[in-house]
Amino acid sequence: LPQFLAFFSKPIEKEFKHINAVLKTLRNDAVLKNTSYCLHFDLKLQQMMSSEEFESGECSKDFIEKPSSLKPYQFSEDLILREAQLAGSSNLFTGATNDFLEVHINSSGFVSPFILLFFLPDVSSSWIIESKGIMGELLVREQ
């Protein structure tokens, strides 16, 4: 694993680890507390936030502040989250842009599959972080 992670630049490694830790925390809490959560990705603010999900399926607008690992998180200035969408959507690389993505984690720990596209500020390199399977295992690959 250390050799595998050494392949990535520091900024993408940091973001990958943080997203993975938040996802695991939300999945575990969802199962233990029988609660559903939302993970929000905001492209305009370059942030990731977490909130509870109401029984109606709507995400709360009140973001989680505790534990501190779930507080609203600003992505590194060394990377730009360019696109974010649910997996299976066909418009990720066609120029269509979603400025906000909500990923749902239900009380069974199942995660809506999603894809995030990060670029270096000079657009010289890009990476895709993608969730796989119903448990939301994250994978990263250079584009």
Side-chain angles (χ1 to χ4, degrees):
L1 185 63
Q3 290 175 339
F4 178 72
L5 291 177
F7 171 73
F8 301 109
S9 69
K10 294 284 184 199
I12 195 65
E13 181 181 333
K14 176 186 172 204
E15 301 309 339
F16 177 82
K17 286 179 178 180
H18 185 79
I19 295 167
N20 199 36
V22 168
L23 198 56
K24 284 182 180 181
T25 300
L26 291 174
R27 266 195 357 251
N28 289 342
D29 268 15
V31 173
L32 292 172
K33 296 178 180 177
N34 195 31
T35 304
S36 296
Y37 292 99
C38 297
L39 187 57
H40 309 264
F41 294 94
D42 188 324
L43 277 68
K44 286 184 180 179
L45 298 177
Q46 292 292 296
Q47 282 188 339
M48 178 177 70
M49 296 83 62
S50 325
S51 69
E52 288 194 28
E53 181 180 293
F54 300 121
E55 287 185 25
S56 65
E58 298 276 325
C59 297
S60 171
K61 301 298 180 207
D62 296 324
F63 299 121
I64 297 172
E65 294 287 331
K66 292 184 181 177
S68 62
S69 63
L70 297 181
K71 281 185 173 183
Y73 174 79
Q74 187 78 35
F75 291 116
S76 167
E77 292 179 7
D78 296 329
L79 283 177
I80 297 167
L81 177 58
R82 176 76 48 93
E83 297 186 37
Q85 71 177 49
L86 295 176
S89 300
S90 60
N91 64 350
L92 182 60
F93 301 107
T94 61
T97 306
N98 300 322
D99 290 332
F100 198 81
L101 173 67
E102 291 178 348
V103 173
H104 297 266
I105 299 112
N106 73 16
S107 59
S108 298
F110 297 149
V111 178
S112 306
F114 63 93
I115 299 171
L116 306 173
L117 178 62
F118 285 94
F119 278 86
L120 289 178
D122 66 2
V123 195
S124 61
S125 296
S126 64
W127 295 267
I128 292 175
I129 294 178
E130 181 176 7
S131 70
K132 289 287 188 182
I134 58 176
M135 297 310 288
E137 176 189 353
L138 288 186
L139 304 172
V140 63
R141 65 181 186 273
E142 192 163 3
Q143 186 69 3

